[in-house]
Amino acid sequence: MTGPDRPEARQKGLSAYIAVTAAYWAFMLTDGALRMLVLLHFHTLGFSPIQLAYLFLLYEFMGMVTNLSAGWIAARFGLTSTLYAGLGVQIIALLALAGLDPEWALTASVLYVMVVQGLSGVAKDLAKMSSKSAVKLLAPSEGDGLFRWVAYLTGSKNAVKGVGFLLGTILLGTVGFTGSVLAMAAVLALILAGIVAFMPTGLPQGRKGAKFTEVFSRDRNVNLLSLARVFLFGARDVWFVVGIPIYFYAVLSDGSEAGNRMAFFQIGTFMALWIIAYGAVQAWAPKLLGAKDKTKDQIVALAVQWVGLLALVPASLALCALVAGGPAPWLTLTLVAGLMVFGFVFAINSSVHSYLILAFTRDERVTMDVGFYYMSNAAGRLLGTLLSGLSYQLGGLPLTLGTAALMAFLSWLSARRLQSPEPANAAQG
């Protein structure tokens, strides 16, 4: 049984789902704010696109390591423990960032922030794996319950992360870098205390016999979907992490302090609106796709069709950037519109993937398979982050967007080999 069937069990599961979602929201608000704080603060200090990418590399690498081991840790010690650990480690990372000394040499600053971002990467993926695995176990078994619950969780957390992007830019322009991270650490500590006090029962407590080798899946669909996820998130982050924010900063800032603050706000607003819209579409995806009336075969087919559409968007934008030959008002407007279209199509892809990984796995393997899948997610972000700084520095916007199109095409090649899950392995959703 994949979810609660009796009324009392359903209510208990709903309470646990709400608590898990609230914890995830709190985490993602600070995660979004922190990303913008780090990116824009260090850009103003003179960091190059490659150096900015370095700041996030350990964050993504530690996400890979964490997801590989977090599935086993959750199976061994329970999902509640890993959720609390994720929030706690994020508080430590925020406090550590407040200790950054602006007088340090550039190399020391980069290394210090990389290590702290690595801690934040551990925190994020502990929280993510715990939350997504909990949905598999708590969602109602009838109809499209699993798709709806995972879509609401994923969509709402991305909307909250978008608000965090805007919050980060506002905080940077008002109270500064150190004040911002200290304030976020204090708020997150209060939220963690509240969640620990009021978290209902309902999540598994772990089993002593769980072996680390169980993390590696032998399921063909899980492995193919994980590979498709690598390239899907590579396609997003190759422009999202460094390229587009730095391009917009070059277009919007006049070099003055007031101009920099306005550019921060405008960039943060765009990034926030993009993430919020992305999250809203994710939550809407089950209804948009008519998931309630579709078989798993049809949903697998949708995963292939939508990533094929995705590849066309950055390819078209790369062509526009080549034609423009540099910053131009019409190019900036085209990028804003085109990237919003990318966000819509990307959100559908991401929502379908989030459902399929839970449909492909079994209850007894859920933390293992979800951990492995999100390790692939982190690998895609790591690849995209590295290529974002590298492609922008080597070829500017056209190469960055062209690389995103290539990543999406590789995701399509992986997704088209997926098969409908066998009934024994399928979620009852």
Side-chain angles (χ1 to χ4, degrees):
M1 184 173 64
T2 61
D5 286 325
R6 295 174 301 170
E8 60 272 21
R10 189 189 308 275
Q11 185 58 44
K12 193 175 184 180
L14 181 60
S15 297
Y17 175 78
I18 291 171
V20 165
T21 302
Y24 202 23
W25 281 358
F27 182 92
M28 295 312 296
L29 183 69
T30 63
D31 187 68
L34 185 59
R35 177 170 287 268
M36 293 309 294
L37 281 167
V38 169
L39 178 67
L40 294 176
H41 175 68
F42 287 97
H43 178 61
T44 59
L45 294 181
F47 281 36
S48 70
I50 287 288
Q51 289 168 333
L52 290 171
Y54 286 161
L55 297 181
F56 297 103
L57 285 181
L58 194 59
Y59 173 91
E60 304 299 357
F61 177 76
M62 291 309 297
M64 292 175 57
V65 173
T66 301
N67 277 307
L68 189 60
S69 56
W72 172 78
I73 293 170
R76 177 67 177 79
F77 299 102
L79 281 173
T80 306
S81 299
T82 50
L83 182 61
Y84 295 161
L87 294 170
V89 172
Q90 179 76 337
I91 293 169
I92 294 171
L94 288 167
L95 292 174
L97 267 182
L100 180 67
D101 189 338
E103 300 300 319
W104 288 350
L106 180 65
T107 301
S109 295
V110 170
L111 290 174
Y112 184 82
V113 176
M114 282 181 67
V115 170
V116 175
Q117 285 289 93
L119 275 179
S120 187
V122 170
K124 186 189 77 171
D125 286 294
L126 281 172
K128 175 186 280 187
M129 184 281 304
S130 303
S131 302
K132 296 293 180 68
S133 297
V135 173
K136 167 75 172 181
L137 302 172
L138 299 173
S141 58
E142 68 275 3
D144 62 341
L146 177 61
F147 202 161
R148 281 187 292 108
W149 277 37
V150 73
Y152 292 157
L153 175 71
T154 306
S156 64
K157 74 91 176 173
N158 279 312
V160 169
K161 185 173 182 177
V163 174
F165 273 57
L166 183 57
L167 175 65
T169 56
I170 291 173
L171 287 173
L172 183 61
T174 53
V175 301
F177 184 78
T178 302
S180 299
V181 294
L182 286 175
M184 289 193 297
V187 171
L188 197 58
L190 289 174
I191 291 171
L192 174 58
I195 290 171
V196 170
F198 297 106
M199 174 69 82
T201 58
L203 295 180
Q205 298 304 304
R207 53 185 174 89
K208 293 182 179 180
K211 297 178 181 179
F212 183 78
T213 52
E214 295 176 43
V215 167
F216 299 98
S217 177
R218 295 189 179 118
D219 186 287
R220 181 177 184 272
N221 276 333
V222 169
N223 292 329
L224 282 172
L225 185 63
S226 298
L227 183 62
R229 191 74 170 186
V230 169
F231 295 121
L232 179 68
F233 271 76
R236 183 196 68 173
D237 280 11
V238 75
W239 64 262
F240 189 84
V241 174
V242 174
I244 286 296
I246 299 307
Y247 171 82
F248 281 162
Y249 184 85
V251 170
L252 297 171
S253 177
D254 60 8
S256 68
E257 185 175 344
N260 287 347
R261 283 200 300 268
M262 180 57 68
F264 290 161
F265 179 76
Q266 290 172 312
I267 294 167
T269 298
F270 171 76
M271 304 295 276
L273 289 176
W274 193 93
I275 289 286
I276 291 168
Y278 160 55
V281 173
Q282 278 185 306
W284 181 41
K287 186 174 181 180
L288 175 69
L289 297 175
K292 188 174 183 179
D293 302 316
K294 282 188 167 53
T295 65
K296 293 186 179 69
D297 275 321
Q298 291 172 318
I299 295 178
V300 167
L302 287 173
V304 180
Q305 295 166 10
W306 280 90
V307 77
L309 290 174
L310 185 71
L312 298 177
V313 181
S316 301
L317 293 177
L319 182 60
C320 290
L322 275 173
V323 170
W330 71 267
L331 177 60
T332 301
L333 291 174
T334 301
L335 286 172
V336 170
L339 292 175
M340 294 305 286
V341 173
F342 182 98
F344 179 88
V345 181
F346 179 82
I348 299 296
N349 277 283
S350 182
S351 190
V352 171
H353 280 197
S354 294
Y355 162 74
L356 286 177
I357 186 58
L358 297 182
F360 289 156
T361 191
R362 302 185 300 273
D363 284 3
E364 64 272 18
R365 277 199 54 85
V366 62
T367 62
M368 305 289 190
D369 285 343
V370 170
F372 182 78
Y373 168 78
Y374 280 112
M375 179 201 69
S376 302
N377 195 92
R381 293 196 309 267
L382 175 66
L383 179 63
T385 297
L386 179 60
L387 291 176
S388 186
L390 186 63
S391 62
Y392 192 81
Q393 189 145 328
L394 292 178
L397 202 57
L399 183 57
T400 296
L401 293 167
T403 305
L406 175 61
M407 293 290 103
F409 175 72
L410 292 174
S411 183
W412 176 81
L413 288 179
S414 302
R416 67 193 296 266
R417 298 175 62 198
L418 291 170
Q419 299 172 349
S420 178
E422 296 295 330
N425 292 344
Q428 304 298 313

